[in-house]
Amino acid sequence: METIQLPNSDLTPSRIALGTWAIGGWKWGGTDEKQSIATVQSAIERGITCIDTAAVYGFGESERLVGKALKEGGIRDKAVLATKCGLNWNDDGPYRDASRGRIEQEINDSLKRLQTDYIDLYQLHWPDPTVEIEEAATVLRELKDSGKIRAVGVSNFSVEQMRAFQQICPLSTMQPPYNLFERDIEHDILPAIREDGVGTLTYGALCRGLLSGKINRDTTFNGDDLRKSDPKFQSPRFEQYISAVEKLDAYAQEHYNKRVLHLALRWLLDQPGVSVALWGARRPDQLDPANEVMGWSLDDKAMRDIDAILSECITDPVGPEFMAPPTRNEA
């Protein structure tokens, strides 16, 4: 598996990371403990050494399962373990809370659930407009100085917020949403990241399964599945995105003998400024395509062809804005 050196740290994660938002049952409809543990352990065995989770996923359950998987497998030292802070929750769900007290509580809770005495990459999950960025940045800098964390990242920040944070605490990574269907960061965030020398862990590589090739026009979503509230999965947009997936899949087969999933991940890894692509999985077999993503790349013509397919099929694109959690005041 390809690896990359993150700036401002000695961390060398795999370029594909296991994103564990689907492990723990947060917004994806239930989980299976044995399968979840097997998925984490299988990822490490396959060379997917970067494991990304968060305290809020499953409201602590995802971290617990990741910690159990690493402990039982005796593989903590093989993992670049990333988690996130800055979200609290109540009966209505998660909300932003990047206060000093909350972060100090979260780091200790996360260390306990993850069964480790340090976290490789600790990320502020969302900016909190009720807290000065300097306050959160100061706490994270102190945690790094104490040895509880090895590197600091932020997620879902604007360029201005990222740069304000860096005035207080050096950043190793930014974690924005980015995939073939959600490309807003190309206008400002990606250029700024490259200019500032910050690494990236991009999330949503398969756009909540749309780019997996496993979803068709008849697919339905049940329970608390996040996709029930995603505008991409509502008509008429849903049909437009499915049409794009079908044409991208045909293009991948014709030109590379690959499928749309491989094409989507390779496209992402070939974008300037992208360090690591997060890939969600709930079962070990969902990691099988990983090797098919390595050892080839897309040239300029392929990039233009892909853009042409997207422009032809999707007349009303929409981003991931619906995913933003409320502030404390809104909650």
Side-chain angles (χ1 to χ4, degrees):
M1 186 65 62
E2 298 173 6
T3 61
I4 193 166
Q5 180 76 46
L6 292 181
N8 299 316
S9 79
D10 59 355
L11 302 181
T12 308
S14 53
R15 293 208 67 201
I16 290 179
L18 174 63
T20 67
W21 52 86
I23 291 175
W26 183 67
K27 297 298 184 183
W28 292 82
T31 190
D32 178 285
E33 179 161 325
K34 288 185 178 179
Q35 288 250 49
S36 297
I37 289 172
T39 301
V40 174
Q41 293 175 345
S42 178
I44 298 292
E45 292 171 1
R46 298 164 187 257
I48 302 174
T49 56
C50 187
I51 310 295
D52 180 90
T53 186
V56 75
Y57 298 160
F59 306 128
E61 185 68 0
S62 179
E63 283 189 334
R64 185 188 71 82
L65 291 171
V66 169
K68 188 173 182 180
L70 297 178
K71 182 75 170 182
E72 290 184 352
I75 51 177
R76 170 63 184 95
D77 61 339
K78 297 181 180 179
V80 175
L81 182 56
T83 192
K84 309 179 196 74
C85 64
L87 289 181
N88 207 333
W89 55 85
N90 55 27
D91 291 342
D92 295 322
Y95 60 91
R96 307 185 205 195
D97 185 352
S99 62
R100 171 179 282 274
R102 177 60 184 168
I103 293 174
E104 289 176 341
Q105 175 189 339
E106 283 195 271
I107 182 65
N108 292 322
D109 290 346
S110 290
L111 288 170
K112 182 177 180 179
R113 286 190 291 257
L114 290 164
Q115 300 188 57
T116 185
D117 55 5
Y118 71 95
I119 290 166
D120 295 290
L121 177 63
Y122 203 47
Q123 304 158 95
L124 187 56
H125 208 151
W126 285 85
D128 181 354
T130 70
V131 174
E132 295 291 334
I133 286 177
E134 291 78 9
E135 177 179 336
T138 298
V139 180
L140 289 170
R141 187 189 64 199
E142 291 170 357
L143 291 175
K144 185 174 185 294
D145 291 342
S146 75
K148 288 186 176 181
I149 62 179
R150 294 175 61 192
V152 175
V154 293
S155 181
N156 301 299
F157 270 44
S158 68
V159 172
E160 293 74 20
Q161 291 165 337
M162 177 186 74
R163 287 178 169 165
F165 192 101
Q166 288 184 98
Q167 296 299 312
I168 307 297
C169 178
L171 281 176
S172 293
T173 60
M174 168 85 119
Q175 186 173 144
Y178 191 40
N179 56 64
L180 272 168
F181 292 154
E182 297 171 334
R183 298 172 60 174
D184 284 352
I185 70 167
E186 293 176 352
H187 304 303
D188 55 354
I189 292 175
L190 268 184
I193 286 170
R194 294 195 296 267
E195 180 179 342
D196 293 2
V198 175
T200 54
L201 278 73
T202 59
Y203 72 85
L206 298 181
C207 199
R208 294 166 293 288
L210 262 179
L211 288 160
S212 68
K214 301 293 179 66
I215 294 175
N216 59 48
R217 289 172 172 81
D218 298 322
T219 302
T220 58
F221 307 97
N222 303 308
D224 64 352
D225 196 306
L226 179 69
R227 290 168 288 193
K228 289 177 66 178
S229 58
D230 186 338
K232 289 184 182 61
F233 292 82
Q234 318 303 319
S235 186
R237 286 193 180 100
F238 186 50
E239 289 76 19
Q240 294 180 13
Y241 282 103
I242 292 298
S243 176
V245 168
E246 291 170 348
K247 292 190 176 184
L248 289 169
D249 190 51
Y251 184 89
Q253 292 186 65
E254 178 183 353
H255 294 274
Y256 299 100
N257 196 28
K258 305 288 185 183
R259 303 306 300 265
V260 63
L261 182 153
H262 312 122
L263 185 77
L265 282 163
R266 190 66 254 172
W267 177 91
L268 189 54
L269 293 174
D270 285 344
Q271 298 306 306
V274 172
S275 306
V276 176
L278 300 182
W279 182 356
R282 301 180 67 174
R283 307 187 310 270
D285 64 279
Q286 292 177 330
L287 299 169
D288 289 346
N291 287 335
E292 294 290 323
V293 179
M294 300 299 153
W296 58 289
S297 62
L298 298 169
D299 59 21
D300 291 343
K301 182 181 183 304
M303 294 291 188
R304 292 192 298 271
D305 291 343
I306 289 168
D307 285 344
I309 291 172
L310 299 179
S311 297
E312 174 189 351
C313 295
I314 304 169
T315 61
D316 188 21
V318 62
E321 296 84 2
F322 77 99
M323 296 176 67
T327 66
R328 279 183 287 175
N329 294 338
E330 293 168 337

